């Protein structure tokens, strides 16, 4: 009854005071109460930001979802020309119309993001190298791909005639996802740009009538420049909604005062264009204070009446929308922001050497909470608990450093619990739009947490596997027999903290280095010779004299050397077939990857230093190093420069280590791999996808002629030692069951399952009974 009464009292003010635009989220949705709109209380509650009610259940109105989509990307001289074209494009009936400016593209370039999407952007049709300053993404739908493409093709004839038009491209279905990832990167790509000041939310989703978007963007850019701010434009241009992050100074009193004045002027500008302060995210506290500028005092009175009707005691999300807290109160930052700045082992060079700044990377997008596609976050997908998401872990670490809520610092059990189920898959490093790197944060935290403390038994059993493997290699048959004997195996597993459900991988009876020392080579003259003399110099020749063949060092990592030497032999055969002379390091080396999972950072640094010293001469000659275990290659490419960013030898080594596919694609581009028939499924190791990417593997496998499917899946679940630990076994298997294991069981036995990771192959074997094949073995088959 109170809603009826206030509707009748304020009806005229509601009709005249609310802009009729596609995107209006600011204020309470009072037009829903008007008689002509059916007194729709549900629509009133939508967008009320928890200030009126908590929604426990909702019935949704569904809209048609087309069977096929077609995407046209149109380039313009600048973002204003792109925005000015919006009304004409809308007349063509697209189902989606998004826009981005060139600044967003530049930020993607600076951060090395979305390279595949950037390559798909249209070039200027003038052929004179004109830069394109803005783009529209125009999407059409249809009952079939043919129908959708026909709609898009018809539209392209009109698009070509628009003012400021520079070029366009119709994207095939596989390419469309890459382009949408580029558009959706907006928030993450612009948040932390190297060499530029940080950008922040605060005016991130204003909306105006689409027909007035171009003029609004020009004036908004002028307002930026008058304040000395920078920020890109992107968003839902077809609905006049603009997303942006702006380089506010939120650390100093003067900077915060300047920010406050800016948003007041921005609000007046938006209202002058008939717009809404918020077109998507809501007002909350950051724009609640500005609502009188948009609605006036009379409608603010109506908002208060609605609030009083639902929440007379003001207990529902107070300080938002109605009687809001001042914009500049309760800031996360501000002049009093003084987080702890502890000395760390990792240098966090991209975060000014500060773990606190690193943990502030999270801007709350929540991409880590998705349940399918991509790599992150495997344990969250199992528990669905916010503390196990990338976002939750980053925020807990930040709270630990701020010290207001979590006061125990490095000894915090809350942080330890949240990080315990982190598989250190590094998926967040690649998938998170702002590169939150929980695997590194976890290793750093555990290093301090266990300082002067005993670690769990598994840390000494599996974290120190490089040393145990060397010992076991002296009597591998005895060790294997002991682990196969039920009674002894049970005792040894219990002592090591390994779950009884797991089979311990068998040690090879002969290591890769021993096999290569005995390996025979066949010179050009046909005489077979021992390679032993060559081994003393670290070299194993192949077909031909070897003098003209470029050398490459095969990194015999712990897992390949002691467990799977046949993979190393396969790699040698493939590299020789590609024209290389293969050498091994003169001594057995290990990157120390298992050490990071338990915080053994001091020992890990010493191992990496040993690698730098041992391979210095190799790197100085420009000889490439190829690694077969993805996690080891990732250690050189990621942890090594993160621990020694100022060491030129370490940085040079980091840049000189390649996966097998990368080496063949970059150093032997004219080599044609063997033609293979049949089907294969590729499960990319998490570190491979996160650090190196799978582009080289895709290109190489395409040349073989195999019918290859790359799984868009998360972690296999074994994750080094994680899945062997008794307390983690259940989560480990649940991760595997999300994609990899069901896929392996479902494909026919003639379909190869390619898995370069030692952990991935073990999870496959123990969880599905399928044998994973390394890329080197696949190529060897041909």
């Amino acid at each position: 009854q109170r809603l009826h009464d206030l509707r009748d009292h304020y009806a005229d003010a509601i009709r005249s005071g609310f802009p009729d635009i596609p995107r209006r989220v600011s204020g309470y949705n009072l037009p829903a109460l008007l008689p002509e709109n059916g007194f729709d209380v549900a629509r009133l509650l939508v967008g009320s930001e928890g200030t009126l009610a908590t929604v426990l259940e909702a019935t949704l109105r569904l809209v048609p979802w087309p069977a096929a989509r077609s995407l046209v990307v149109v380039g313009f001289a600048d973002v204003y020309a792109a925005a000015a074209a919006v009304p004409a494009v809308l007349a063509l009936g697209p189902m989606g119309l998004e826009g981005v400016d060139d600044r967003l593209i530049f930020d993607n370039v600076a951060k090395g993001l979305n390279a595949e999407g950037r390559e798909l952007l249209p070039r200027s049709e003038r052929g004179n190298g004109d830069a394109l300053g803005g783009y529209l993404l125009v999407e059409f739908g249809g009952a079939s791909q043919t129908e959708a493409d026909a709609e898009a093709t018809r539209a392209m004839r009109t698009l070509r005639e628009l003012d400021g038009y520079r070029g366009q491209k119709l994207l095939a279905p596989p390419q469309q996802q890459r382009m949408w990832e580029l558009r959706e990167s907006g928030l993450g790509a612009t948040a932390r740009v190297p060499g530029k000041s940080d950008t922040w939310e605060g005016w991130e989703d204003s909306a105006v009538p689409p027909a007035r978007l171009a003029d609004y963007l020009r004036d908004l850019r002028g307002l930026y420049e008058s304040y000395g701010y920078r920020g890109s434009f992107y968003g839902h241009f077809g609905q006049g909604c603009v997303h942006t992050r702006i380089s506010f100074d939120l650390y100093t009193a003067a900077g915060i005062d300047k920010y406050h004045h800016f948003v007041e002027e921005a609000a007046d500008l938006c209202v002058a264009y008939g717009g809404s302060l918020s077109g998507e995210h809501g007002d909350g506290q950051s724009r609640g204070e500005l609502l009188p500028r948009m609605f006036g005092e009379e409608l603010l009175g109506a908002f208060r009446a609605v609030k009083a009707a639902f929440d007379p005691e003001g207990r529902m999300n107070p300080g938002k929308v109605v009687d809001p807290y001042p914009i500049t109160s309760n800031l996360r930052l501000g002049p009093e922001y003084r987080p702890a700045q502890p000395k760390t082992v990792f240098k966090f060079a991209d975060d000014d050497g500060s773990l606190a700044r690193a943990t502030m990377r999270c801007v709350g997008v929540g991409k880590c909470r998705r349940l399918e596609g991509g790599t992150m976050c495997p344990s969250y997908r199992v528990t669905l608990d916010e503390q196990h998401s990338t976002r939750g872990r980053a925020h807990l670490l930040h709270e630990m450093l701020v010290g207001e809520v979590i006061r125990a610092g490095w000894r915090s059990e809350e942080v330890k619990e949240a990080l315990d189920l982190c598989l250190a898959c590094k998926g967040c490093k690649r998938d998170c739009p702002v590169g939150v790197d929980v695997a590194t944060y976890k290793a750093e935290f555990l290093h301090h947490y266990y300082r002067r403390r005993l670690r769990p038994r598994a840390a000494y059993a599996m974290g120190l596997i490089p040393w145990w493997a060397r010992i076991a290699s002296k009597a591998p048959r005895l060790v294997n027999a002991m682990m196969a004997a039920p009674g002894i195996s049970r005792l040894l597993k219990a002592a090591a903290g390994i779950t009884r459900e797991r089979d311990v991988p068998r040690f090879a009876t002969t290591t890769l280095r021993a096999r290569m020392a005995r390996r025979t080579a066949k010179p050009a003259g046909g005489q077979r010779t021992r390679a032993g003399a060559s081994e003393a110099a670290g070299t194993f020749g192949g077909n031909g004299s070897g003098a003209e063949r470029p050398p490459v060092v095969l990194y015999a990592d712990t897992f390949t050397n002691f467990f799977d030497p046949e993979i190393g032999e396969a790699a040698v055969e493939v590299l020789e077939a590609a024209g290389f002379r293969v050498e091994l390091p003169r001594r057995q080396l290990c990157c120390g990857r298992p050490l990071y999972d338990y915080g053994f950072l001091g020992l890990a640094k010493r191992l990496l230093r040993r690698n730098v010293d041992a391979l210095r001469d190799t790197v100085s000659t420009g000889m490439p190093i190829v690694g077969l275990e993805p996690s080891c290659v990732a250690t050189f490419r990621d942890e090594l420069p993160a621990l020694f960013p100022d060491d030129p030898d370490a940085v040079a080594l980091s840049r000189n280590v390649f996966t097998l596919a990368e080496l063949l694609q970059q150093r032997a581009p004219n080599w044609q791999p063997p033609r293979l028939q049949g089907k294969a499924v590729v499960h990319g190791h998490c570190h491979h996808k996160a650090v190196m990417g799978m582009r080289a593997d895709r290109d190489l496998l395409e040349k073989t002629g195999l019918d290859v499917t790359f799984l868009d899946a998360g972690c296999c679940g074994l994750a080094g030692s994680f899945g062997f630990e008794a307390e983690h076994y259940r989560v480990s298997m649940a991760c595997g069951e999300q994609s990899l294991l069901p896929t392996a069981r479902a494909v026919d036995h003639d379909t190869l399952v390619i898995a370069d990771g030692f952990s991935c192959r073990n999870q496959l074997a123990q969880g599905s009974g399928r044998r994973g094949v390394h890329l080197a073995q696949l190529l060897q088959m041909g």
Side-chain angles (χ1 to χ4, degrees), residues 516 519 542-543 549 552 554 566-582 626 628 659-661 663-665 668 671-674 676 700 704 774-782:
M516 300 309 290
R519 182 174 183 266
N543 298 329
R549 300 162 69 84
V552 59
L554 178 65
E566 63 277 3
I567 292 176
E569 290 183 304
V572 171
E573 187 173 337
V574 170
L575 289 167
E576 288 180 344
F580 294 98
R581 186 178 79 253
V582 182
V626 59
L628 302 177
T659 67
L660 179 61
L663 183 89
L664 293 172
Q665 289 291 90
W671 178 65
Q672 177 59 48
L676 298 167
L700 182 64
T704 67
H774 192 284
L775 176 65
Q777 295 172 304
L778 175 80
L779 296 174
Q780 183 193 41
M781 292 176 187

Side-chain angles (χ1 to χ4, degrees), residues 461-501:
M462 288 177 285
L464 304 182
I465 189 64
W467 291 271
W468 293 124
R470 289 194 182 198
I471 296 172
S473 70
K474 306 299 181 183
R477 290 184 175 85
L478 174 61
V479 174
N480 291 337
M482 293 172 62
M483 294 310 301
I488 298 175
S489 174
R490 191 179 306 113
L491 290 173
L492 291 175
K493 287 180 181 179
I498 299 174
T499 178
R500 65 175 60 186
E501 283 83 1

Side-chain angles (χ1 to χ4, degrees), residues 68-82:
R69 296 174 182 230
S70 187
L71 182 64
V72 181
V73 185
V74 194
F76 292 85
D78 53 42
V79 70
Y80 314 116

Side-chain angles (χ1 to χ4, degrees), residues 54-60:
T54 296
V55 178
L56 303 181
E57 184 176 305
T59 300
L60 305 180

